């Protein structure tokens, strides 16, 4: 049997005898912080009808409530990782978490739709400062089996947070705590952040890059331009009626991306320090792992958005029932992820392909249930498919994270985690934009049932692509 915990590269270990160690309380704290931004990406899906009713927002503005957060988050993640390497990851973590709490409070108290959009953009920026420090701290303070366990827990936390966000959103909206209604989905972050700050102050070690790299102004601006020209028109185009600016923006994307790559390559060759060093992509596992994140995350976020809309607007379920329909997926994900490290130790990266087969079987059952039982969908009709899909996802996501970062040296832990999270967040936003747009565009002509089944069929293709791409990975993980 192959021991997949044996390093397969000559990358220097991330820790040394003098390196600070991340204890159990510190790991719990960073995992709590890792959950917050992902919960908040999905928590608003079931709250949008209530926000619309209360603030009388147009469809385009409502989409900005989702997209403003996701785009700001994606655009600034790499910069957040670089700032942590430069000024200290603990310092950036605390600042980002405090800002996340304040912007969550601003979202919960927003008097109008546009003020909510502005607060959500600021909340996404705060998340971008906080989240890269989580993975960078794990990379810099753990090694060997401890790192494998920590990365497995991180992947399990991330996947569970994405599902739990939608469930929690439904419960909070329906509970209408003290008359807060939809505002509770944001206000709930405040006590969690306060607890996280207290825990981090006691348990989180400070780490820096041994060779901190200065900021790259041109690279930062061009990366922001490339992501904005791609994500904004795709997330806002359909609701806005595809005006001219959306097409001009999409046409500008390849130009901005090419300019970003040229500037970064020139800086790397000149011995300067680019925002995203092209030499970072010399790692085969990083390149192929990032490629896997794209179809997985696009399909995941598209599924969550489409199911939320279909269950509430098509099947007539309330926010609690719509959120509870995803409970089988969340429970199966949680328990399967606990077995993840043992499965990886035995089967290596082939567990990703096995997980994609299981997820595809679950999605096929969900599709069949939607086709046969529409509009009488509930947690019971979706239970078999949701459970299988959740188990399959748990066999993929934590392992993909480990693959991407397995060869990233500690000196570049911040930028490596920033690149990975930017890829994931951009893919999550693209999932809502592409699969969500497909579903909403088909609904008026084909009906919601057929629109849902068509969208699920497209996601099945993305799951198959993830499984096939995983076969190109090295069997072992460093």
């Amino acid at each position: 049997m192959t021991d997949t915990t044996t390093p397969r590269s000559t990358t220097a270990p991330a820790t040394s005898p003098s390196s600070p160690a991340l204890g159990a309380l510190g790991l719990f704290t960073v995992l709590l912080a890792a959950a917050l931004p992902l919960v908040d990406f999905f928590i608003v899906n079931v709250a949008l009808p209530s926000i619309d009713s209360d603030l009388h927002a147009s469809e385009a503005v409502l989409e900005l409530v989702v997209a403003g957060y996701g785009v700001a988050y994606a655009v600034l993640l790499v910069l957040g990782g670089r700032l942590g390497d430069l000024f200290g990851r603990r310092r950036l973590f605390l600042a980002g978490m405090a800002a996340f709490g304040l912007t969550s409070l601003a979202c919960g108290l927003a008097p109008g739709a546009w003020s909510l959009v502005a607060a959500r953009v600021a909340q996404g920026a705060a998340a971008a400062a906080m989240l890269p420090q989580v993975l960078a701290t794990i990379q810099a303070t753990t090694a060997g089996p401890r790192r494998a366990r920590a990365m497995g827990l991180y992947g399990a936390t991330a996947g569970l947070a994405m599902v739990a966000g939608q469930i929690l959103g439904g419960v909070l909206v329906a509970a209408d705590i003290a008359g807060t209604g939809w505002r509770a989905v944001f206000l709930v972050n405040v006590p969690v952040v306060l607890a996280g700050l207290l825990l981090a102050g006691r348990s989180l070690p400070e780490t820096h890059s041994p060779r901190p790299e200065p900021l790259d102004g041109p690279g930062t601006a061009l990366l922001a331009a490339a992501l904005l020209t791609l994500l904004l028109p795709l997330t806002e185009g359909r609701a806005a009626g595809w005006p001219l600016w959306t097409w001009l923006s999409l046409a500008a994307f390849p130009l901005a991306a090419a300019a970003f790559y040229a500037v970064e390559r020139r800086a790397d060759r000149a011995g300067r320090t680019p925002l995203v060093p092209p030499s970072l992509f010399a790692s085969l596992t990083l390149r192929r792992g990032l490629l896997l994140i794209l179809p997985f995350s696009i399909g995941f976020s598209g599924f969550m958005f489409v199911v939320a809309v279909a269950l509430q607007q098509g099947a007539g379920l309330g926010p609690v029932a719509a959120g509870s329909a995803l409970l089988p997926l969340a429970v199966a994900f949680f328990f399967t992820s606990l077995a993840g490290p043992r499965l990886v130790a035995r089967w290596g990266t082939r567990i990703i392909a096995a997980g994609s087969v299981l997820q595809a079987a679950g999605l096929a059952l969900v599709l069949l249930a939607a086709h046969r039982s529409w509009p009488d969908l509930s947690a019971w009709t979706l239970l078999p498919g949701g459970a299988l899909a959740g188990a399959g996802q748990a066999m993929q996501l934590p392992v993909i994270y480990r693959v991407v970062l397995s060869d990233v040296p500690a000196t570049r832990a911040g930028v490596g985690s920033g690149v990975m999270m930017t890829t994931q967040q951009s893919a999550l936003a693209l999932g809502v934009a592409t699969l969500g747009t497909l579903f909403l565009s088909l609904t008026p002509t084909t009906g919601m049932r057929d629109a849902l089944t068509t969208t699920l069929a497209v996601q099945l293709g993305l799951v198959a692509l993830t499984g096939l791409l995983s076969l190109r990975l090295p069997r072992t993980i460093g």
Side-chain angles (χ1 to χ4, degrees):
M1 182 176 67
T2 303
D3 179 7
T4 57
T5 62
T6 302
R8 57 165 208 88
S9 73
T10 58
T11 301
T15 59
S16 67
S18 60
S19 299
L22 186 67
L25 186 60
L27 180 60
F28 172 81
T29 303
V30 296
L31 292 180
L32 177 67
L36 282 173
L38 292 169
V39 165
D40 268 63
F41 183 84
F42 290 94
I43 201 169
V44 298
N45 281 348
V46 292
L48 288 176
S50 298
I51 295 173
D52 182 23
S53 175
D54 187 24
L55 300 182
H56 309 292
S58 66
E59 186 180 0
V61 174
L62 282 176
E63 292 211 2
L64 274 176
V65 171
V66 179
Y69 174 85
V71 171
Y73 187 17
V75 164
L76 297 172
L77 272 166
V78 177
L79 179 61
R82 174 60 60 82
L83 289 172
D85 287 348
L86 186 62
F87 296 111
R89 293 157 189 150
R90 181 179 185 272
R91 183 180 301 174
L92 258 291
F93 178 89
L94 291 171
M97 180 172 267
F100 192 84
L102 290 173
T103 52
S104 296
L105 181 63
C107 289
L109 300 178
W114 282 108
S115 59
L116 176 59
V117 169
R120 283 284 282 173
V121 171
Q123 190 188 31
M130 176 176 64
L131 188 62
Q133 319 318 324
V134 173
L135 282 171
T137 297
I138 290 174
Q139 287 288 101
T141 59
T142 61
R146 288 185 67 245
R147 178 183 293 177
R149 285 193 297 271
M151 288 301 299
L153 287 170
Y154 176 87
T157 300
L160 194 58
M162 289 189 278
V163 181
Q166 211 143 300
I167 298 172
L168 179 62
V171 171
L172 289 173
V173 171
D176 193 20
I177 302 168
T180 54
W182 61 266
R183 298 177 186 275
V185 304
F186 302 114
L187 296 175
V188 71
N189 291 333
V190 176
V192 177
V193 164
L194 290 174
L197 289 172
L198 290 173
L199 291 173
R202 297 183 57 180
S203 64
L204 201 64
E206 180 64 279
T207 62
H208 297 77
S209 171
R211 293 183 296 277
E213 300 167 335
L215 298 181
D216 172 17
T220 301
L222 285 169
L223 178 62
L227 290 173
L228 285 170
T229 54
L230 174 66
L231 296 178
L232 269 184
L234 288 178
T235 52
E236 282 296 295
R238 187 198 62 82
W242 297 105
L244 178 62
W245 72 264
T246 59
W247 299 108
L248 293 176
S249 181
L250 288 171
F253 165 68
L255 302 178
F260 171 70
Y261 177 74
V263 166
E264 299 297 275
R265 184 176 61 175
R266 189 180 303 117
D268 212 15
R269 289 179 174 177
R272 298 192 300 273
T273 306
L275 180 71
V276 181
S279 56
L280 187 70
F281 295 90
S283 165
L284 179 69
T285 53
L286 182 137
R287 294 199 309 271
R288 292 184 176 176
L290 290 177
L291 194 60
L292 280 176
I293 285 177
L294 290 172
F296 181 92
S297 298
I298 288 172
F300 190 100
S301 64
F303 173 83
M304 298 294 285
F305 175 80
V306 167
V307 166
V309 174
L311 291 178
Q312 289 189 91
Q313 296 184 9
L317 300 182
V320 173
S324 298
L326 296 169
L327 195 58
L329 191 153
V331 172
F333 189 102
F334 175 74
F335 284 106
T336 305
S337 65
L338 295 179
R342 292 191 296 274
L343 293 173
V344 174
R346 181 172 179 83
W347 302 107
T349 58
R350 294 299 176 261
I351 199 65
I352 299 176
S356 69
V357 171
L358 202 59
Q359 184 187 2
L363 280 176
L365 288 177
V366 172
L367 191 157
L368 189 61
H371 182 76
R372 287 183 172 178
S373 304
W374 185 265
D376 298 320
L377 295 180
S378 66
W380 293 111
T381 55
L382 298 178
L383 190 153
L388 278 177
Q393 289 165 346
M395 293 166 65
Q396 297 173 76
L397 187 61
V399 187
I400 293 173
Y401 285 152
R402 284 182 59 186
V403 166
V404 172
L405 295 176
S406 59
D407 283 346
V408 175
T411 54
R412 287 181 166 176
V415 68
S417 61
V419 167
M420 185 178 79
M421 290 296 97
T422 297
T423 304
Q424 182 188 43
Q425 187 59 39
S426 299
L428 290 175
L430 284 172
V432 174
T434 54
L435 295 183
T437 296
L438 173 66
F439 171 73
L440 295 172
S441 299
L442 289 175
T443 297
T445 54
T446 66
M448 192 166 286
R449 185 197 70 171
D450 290 345
L452 176 60
T453 54
T454 300
T455 308
L456 290 174
V458 172
Q459 194 199 348
L460 273 171
L462 293 171
V463 173
L465 178 60
T466 304
L468 290 172
L469 289 174
S470 73
L471 298 177
R472 302 179 64 235
L473 293 172
R475 179 69 178 268
T476 59
I477 305 174

